[in-house]
Amino acid sequence: MITLNIDDIERNLSGFIKLIQEGNSLIITQANEPIAEIKPILINQSLKKPRPIGLCAGEFVVPDDFNDPLPEEIINLFENP
């Protein structure tokens, strides 16, 4: 974690953005008091990795009649609320 004064950030914002993109967290201080923490968004890292196939294998069973037409009474509920 990197601690910086707000004046440092104002002088070199693009340099500190690069540090965040590299995975660093920044603590911003003003008058030696911490006022903010800036962290990289971790979702970007998870998007780079493909999701494993079969992640939920065995967690649920799709019924055999899943693709069968709906009963008339249910269709009527959608068409005539």
Side-chain angles (χ1 to χ4, degrees):
M1 197 167 309
I2 301 169
T3 303
L4 302 163
N5 186 290
I6 197 163
D7 296 325
D8 297 332
I9 296 286
E10 289 175 349
R11 283 192 292 269
N12 188 13
L13 180 60
S14 61
F16 296 116
I17 295 294
K18 186 173 192 250
L19 287 173
I20 296 166
Q21 289 172 325
E22 292 171 354
N24 295 292
S25 296
L26 304 180
I27 299 290
I28 311 296
T29 63
Q30 186 173 33
N32 293 324
E33 292 293 321
I35 58 171
E37 180 178 4
I38 302 174
K39 296 180 177 185
I41 297 176
L42 299 178
I43 192 165
N44 289 338
Q45 293 173 358
S46 67
L47 290 177
K48 293 178 183 176
K49 299 176 188 173
R51 292 183 61 176
I53 295 174
L55 190 62
C56 293
E59 295 292 320
F60 59 92
V61 175
V62 178
D64 292 333
D65 64 350
F66 179 77
N67 288 324
D68 290 353
L70 291 172
E72 280 298 318
E73 60 269 11
I74 294 178
I75 293 173
N76 287 334
L77 289 172
F78 283 102
E79 293 176 349
N80 305 309

